[in-house]
Amino acid sequence: MITIASDFGSVYPAAMKGVILQETDARLVDIAHDLPRQDPRGAAFWLRFALVEFPPAVHLAVVDPGVGTDRRPIVLRAGEHALAGPDNGSLVPAARALSEGAIDAYEIEIPDPASATFHGRDVFAPAAAWVHEQGVDAIESIDQLSAIESYVDLTLPDPDISGTRIEGEILVVDGFGNAITNIPGSAIEGIGRCLVNGEAIPVVETFEAVDRGSALVTVGSHGYVELDVNHGRGDERFGIEAGDSIELTLAEENER
Amino acid sequence: MITIASDFGSVYPAAMKGVILQETDARLVDIAHDLPRQDPRGAAFWLRFALVEFPPAVHLAVVDPGVGTDRRPIVLRAGEHALAGPDNGSLVPAARALSEGAIDAYEIEIPDPASATFHGRDVFAPAAAWVHEQGVDAIESIDQLSAIESYVDLTLPDPDISGTRIEGEILVVDGFGNAITNIPGSAIEGIGRCLVNGEAIPVVETFEAVDRGSALVTVGSHGYVELDVNHGRGDERFGIEAGDSIELTLAEENER
Amino acid sequence: MITIASDFGSVYPAAMKGVILQETDARLVDIAHDLPRQDPRGAAFWLRFALVEFPPAVHLAVVDPGVGTDRRPIVLRAGEHALAGPDNGSLVPAARALSEGAIDAYEIEIPDPASATFHGRDVFAPAAAWVHEQGVDAIESIDQLSAIESYVDLTLPDPDISGTRIEGEILVVDGFGNAITNIPGSAIEGIGRCLVNGEAIPVVETFEAVDRGSALVTVGSHGYVELDVNHGRGDERFGIEAGDSIELTLAEENER
């Protein structure tokens, strides 16, 4: 199985699929092709979210603002999984979540010719196909891969929690406008209300617990605190976007 | 074969696929992940439209405004097909169209733990995989399913036709802005022109039968009357959206 | 393997898949369902771009502004590939790129009943399934196909290059706003700067070679000159859309 993710939008992903299917008859599964554009950190969040659900697979994931520069094309081996993409950190949180132990890294030799702008098709898709065909256990035997000592790390930021005050950050905004923070759901367990940047907002378990058009704080299926609007867009309601910091002040249930 | 439909947009459907592929190597076919958001009736229209084309399959379909409330998660058995999703009526018109006879309903036991906001991944995807693996004929033997006597029904509304006057309703607007009514195509057969909310509009067989930018009434491939604009959006042209009522007055061909 | 492309947006492609899967268990691969709407020439560009990457397959491709008129439904045989769709030229550049030699054309008999507005489901999807099941080499034996002498040709226009002055055309705009011309990349090789409609723009190999928000000229992975903006939209920056003509005047590297 090969999963495929990118920020390429339409048509370009099909070219990657054609290249892969020249080499292997593996099952292909699309993760998404509208990952946050040219944003390795946003991509890292979504890749970790989705890839941890999969059985052992090769994961091709290309959010690559540095394509054509000297950033390295890499494969990370994480347990029975392998991830192919640019060495910009976007693969790392998913690799860490998929691995029981160490992550091994390999640099992909760039074929000649390769376009300067579409390594997804010309570099990463063939590499994913080779790893699938050889098998993750035989990754060392693939001529076009060379073991490397280090890779660009990326850690999604932790919030700063002191008592009832939490300083966090918006990691991504999903397609519905839900603004997803880096604050773990456990931080608001049992809380009925909180101040979001100073404004009191109910903390609820489901969107329908508030009126349509009303703001809410909830814990998303990814396990993180989200700022949302029932039948609306949280990002617009709160005037926030990915990368913005956010301050929550918790109130106890009985203060609600 | 398992088909997958939702209003989840991007990335979330991939998590459902990973969960399914942990349990089965069934073929997966995406129906759509931009079904009318949190609109069981609109979802019901599109599910019926698409699913009737399929050979026997398990259909996972999640448009679920009540997730996290006490609405039940269900599987409907319809002939050789099964449909898994929320008990809000969205599955029913498709089930009725797929079944030669009765529809049998089963409640899905919610696993523990399950998120409060993503039953697509935590409840419905596993249920679809189990039904696929056991087979629809052995659905009674699945421990996590319990036969239930009733389920939430949903019938797409019929128009009110009296002579040349039809009172109908916009069921859905597709991605092109075509406003699809509940009026069967047979109601306008042989008609060359009609009044739409009082305005004369040609009834034609193809978009190109009118000038670009001009409004038209036609019968869509789903068999229902649509209000469209050639190279434009019918919803904007007529100022209508899903749920709005619409009045057609038919003129004979020779009055055109 | 059957690839599927269209300008149908959402849900409608699923109906085509259901019809195909009634006839065959072929692998299905989506190319795109947001091809330039009702634009056979734009579709032709993208189909050629994507389909050349694939191993032998049947390609179902439906961008069909003439559906319901007397335009013919056809299958083109191009080497070991076959392409099914409307006879409006959209299949031809891809067929020419896939074929080592001649292209053979066949008219598809329209089944009765067939809708007037959805030949993708009612005419082309069954034809693609039959060709897949019989095999491209046995295409002559398919009862519903009749060899025809000619088909609508379509050639993507060549630019007019005289010295350092190039008159070209925007063929398509991709989802990111990159405006893709008909000017081959070789025409700007070694060039560091050019005038685009009179304005000096750097010619670079990667988006990141210019500041975010700045315009650039580069050669895309399709091999053609693009007018782009780093982290922005080229079409808006230059005020251009598909079909517009464009004039480039090249400056030598040392004039930069």
Side-chain angles (χ1 to χ4, degrees):
Chain A
M1 187 186 316
I2 299 177
T3 77
I4 313 179
S6 74
D7 64 350
F8 292 158
S10 189
V11 193
Y12 298 103
M16 293 198 290
K17 292 179 193 175
V19 167
I20 292 170
L21 293 169
Q22 297 274 7
E23 303 287 333
T24 171
D25 62 356
R27 177 199 285 269
L28 305 186
V29 182
D30 285 308
I31 299 300
H33 294 290
D34 61 352
L35 290 178
R37 195 178 171 200
Q38 303 192 2
D39 174 6
R41 206 182 66 158
F45 176 85
W46 286 117
L47 290 172
R48 185 181 62 181
F49 168 72
L51 301 186
V52 294
E53 305 297 346
F54 279 81
V58 177
H59 305 286
L60 169 61
V62 191
V63 173
D64 192 11
V67 63
T69 68
D70 59 1
R71 73 92 190 88
R72 293 182 301 188
I74 59 169
V75 174
L76 298 181
R77 181 184 173 174
E80 296 179 83
H81 295 258
L83 302 95
D87 184 24
N88 61 17
S90 56
L91 310 176
V92 174
R96 211 174 267 135
L98 289 167
S99 175
E100 305 278 315
I103 296 171
D104 296 319
Y106 303 87
E107 181 169 359
I108 306 167
E109 185 183 345
I110 297 180
D112 182 22
S115 71
T117 49
F118 196 8
H119 283 191
R121 177 191 62 190
D122 299 339
V123 179
F124 300 120
W130 301 327
V131 175
H132 186 273
E133 285 307 281
Q134 296 291 320
V136 171
D137 287 336
I139 197 167
E140 299 276 355
S141 69
I142 299 174
D143 286 346
Q144 296 89 345
L145 298 185
S146 312
I148 52 178
E149 291 299 312
S150 65
Y151 51 85
V152 173
D153 199 3
L154 184 153
T155 306
L156 293 166
D158 284 325
D160 182 0
I161 306 183
S162 65
T164 59
R165 195 164 158 284
I166 305 175
E167 287 183 71
E169 190 176 325
I170 305 300
L171 292 181
V172 292
V173 174
D174 74 16
F176 297 144
N178 300 324
I180 302 170
T181 74
N182 63 339
I183 302 168
S186 57
I188 63 168
E189 208 176 325
I191 299 296
R193 195 178 59 104
C194 71
L195 300 177
V196 176
N197 291 345
E199 182 189 5
I201 305 290
V203 177
V204 295
E205 287 203 355
T206 69
F207 281 61
E208 290 293 309
V210 303
D211 291 339
R212 298 198 171 186
S214 292
L216 62 118
V217 171
T218 193
V219 180
S221 49
H222 31 64
Y224 290 91
V225 173
E226 291 186 3
L227 310 182
D228 305 332
V229 169
N230 186 15
H231 281 69
R233 295 189 64 94
D235 59 341
E236 295 177 2
R237 170 65 176 74
F238 290 99
I240 48 182
E241 58 182 24
D244 285 356
S245 57
I246 194 89
E247 184 182 310
L248 296 194
T249 307
L250 308 182
E252 295 302 326
E253 181 72 51
N254 55 12
E255 293 182 48
R256 193 173 185 165
Chain B
M1 188 186 317
I2 299 176
T3 77
I4 312 179
S6 74
D7 64 351
F8 291 159
S10 187
V11 194
Y12 298 102
M16 293 198 291
K17 292 179 193 175
V19 167
I20 292 170
L21 293 170
Q22 297 274 6
E23 303 287 334
T24 171
D25 62 355
R27 177 199 286 270
L28 304 185
V29 182
D30 286 307
I31 299 300
H33 294 289
D34 61 352
L35 291 178
R37 195 178 171 199
Q38 302 193 2
D39 173 6
R41 205 183 66 158
F45 176 85
W46 286 116
L47 290 171
R48 185 182 62 181
F49 167 72
L51 300 186
V52 295
E53 305 296 348
F54 278 81
V58 177
H59 306 287
L60 169 61
V62 191
V63 172
D64 192 12
V67 63
T69 69
D70 59 1
R71 73 91 189 88
R72 293 183 301 187
I74 60 168
V75 174
L76 298 181
R77 180 183 173 174
E80 297 179 82
H81 296 258
L83 303 94
D87 183 26
N88 61 17
S90 55
L91 310 176
V92 175
R96 211 174 267 134
L98 289 167
S99 176
E100 304 279 315
I103 296 172
D104 295 319
Y106 303 86
E107 181 169 359
I108 306 168
E109 184 183 345
I110 297 180
D112 183 22
S115 71
T117 49
F118 196 8
H119 283 191
R121 178 191 61 189
D122 299 338
V123 179
F124 300 120
W130 301 327
V131 175
H132 185 274
E133 285 306 282
Q134 297 291 319
V136 171
D137 286 337
I139 198 166
E140 299 276 355
S141 69
I142 298 174
D143 285 345
Q144 296 91 343
L145 298 184
S146 313
I148 52 179
E149 291 300 312
S150 66
Y151 51 86
V152 173
D153 199 4
L154 185 153
T155 305
L156 293 167
D158 284 325
D160 182 0
I161 306 183
S162 65
T164 59
R165 194 165 158 284
I166 305 175
E167 287 184 72
E169 189 175 325
I170 306 300
L171 292 181
V172 291
V173 174
D174 74 15
F176 297 143
N178 300 325
I180 302 169
T181 74
N182 63 338
I183 302 168
S186 57
I188 63 168
E189 208 176 325
I191 298 296
R193 195 178 59 104
C194 71
L195 300 178
V196 176
N197 291 344
E199 182 190 5
I201 305 290
V203 176
V204 294
E205 287 204 355
T206 69
F207 281 62
E208 290 293 311
V210 303
D211 291 339
R212 298 200 171 184
S214 291
L216 61 118
V217 170
T218 193
V219 180
S221 48
H222 31 65
Y224 290 90
V225 172
E226 291 186 2
L227 310 181
D228 305 332
V229 169
N230 186 15
H231 281 68
R233 294 189 65 93
D235 60 341
E236 294 178 2
R237 169 66 175 71
F238 290 99
I240 48 182
E241 58 182 27
D244 285 356
S245 57
I246 194 90
E247 184 181 309
L248 296 193
T249 307
L250 308 182
E252 295 302 326
E253 181 73 50
N254 56 10
E255 294 182 47
R256 192 174 187 164
Chain C
M1 188 186 318
I2 299 176
T3 77
I4 313 179
S6 74
D7 64 351
F8 291 158
S10 189
V11 194
Y12 298 102
M16 293 198 292
K17 292 179 193 176
V19 167
I20 292 170
L21 293 169
Q22 297 274 7
E23 302 288 332
T24 171
D25 62 355
R27 177 199 285 270
L28 305 185
V29 182
D30 286 307
I31 300 300
H33 294 289
D34 61 352
L35 289 178
R37 195 178 171 200
Q38 302 192 3
D39 173 7
R41 205 183 66 158
F45 176 85
W46 286 117
L47 290 172
R48 185 182 62 180
F49 167 72
L51 300 187
V52 294
E53 305 295 346
F54 278 81
V58 177
H59 306 286
L60 168 61
V62 191
V63 173
D64 192 12
V67 64
T69 68
D70 59 2
R71 73 93 189 89
R72 294 183 299 187
I74 60 168
V75 174
L76 298 182
R77 180 183 175 175
E80 296 180 82
H81 295 259
L83 302 94
D87 184 24
N88 61 18
S90 55
L91 310 176
V92 175
R96 211 174 267 135
L98 289 167
S99 176
E100 305 278 315
I103 296 171
D104 295 319
Y106 303 86
E107 181 169 359
I108 306 167
E109 184 184 345
I110 297 180
D112 183 22
S115 71
T117 49
F118 196 9
H119 283 191
R121 178 191 62 190
D122 299 339
V123 180
F124 300 119
W130 301 327
V131 175
H132 185 273
E133 285 307 281
Q134 296 292 320
V136 171
D137 286 336
I139 198 166
E140 299 276 356
S141 69
I142 299 174
D143 285 345
Q144 296 91 344
L145 299 185
S146 312
I148 51 178
E149 291 299 313
S150 66
Y151 51 87
V152 173
D153 200 2
L154 184 153
T155 305
L156 293 166
D158 284 325
D160 183 0
I161 306 183
S162 65
T164 60
R165 194 163 159 285
I166 305 175
E167 287 184 72
E169 189 175 325
I170 305 299
L171 292 181
V172 291
V173 174
D174 75 15
F176 297 143
N178 300 324
I180 302 170
T181 74
N182 63 340
I183 303 168
S186 57
I188 63 168
E189 209 175 326
I191 298 296
R193 196 178 58 104
C194 70
L195 300 178
V196 176
N197 291 345
E199 182 189 4
I201 305 290
V203 176
V204 295
E205 288 204 355
T206 69
F207 281 60
E208 289 294 310
V210 303
D211 291 339
R212 298 198 171 185
S214 291
L216 61 118
V217 171
T218 193
V219 180
S221 49
H222 30 64
Y224 290 91
V225 173
E226 291 186 3
L227 310 182
D228 305 331
V229 169
N230 187 15
H231 281 70
R233 294 189 64 94
D235 59 341
E236 294 178 2
R237 170 67 175 72
F238 290 99
I240 48 181
E241 59 182 25
D244 286 355
S245 57
I246 194 89
E247 184 181 309
L248 295 193
T249 308
L250 309 182
E252 295 302 325
E253 181 72 50
N254 56 11
E255 294 182 47
R256 193 171 185 165

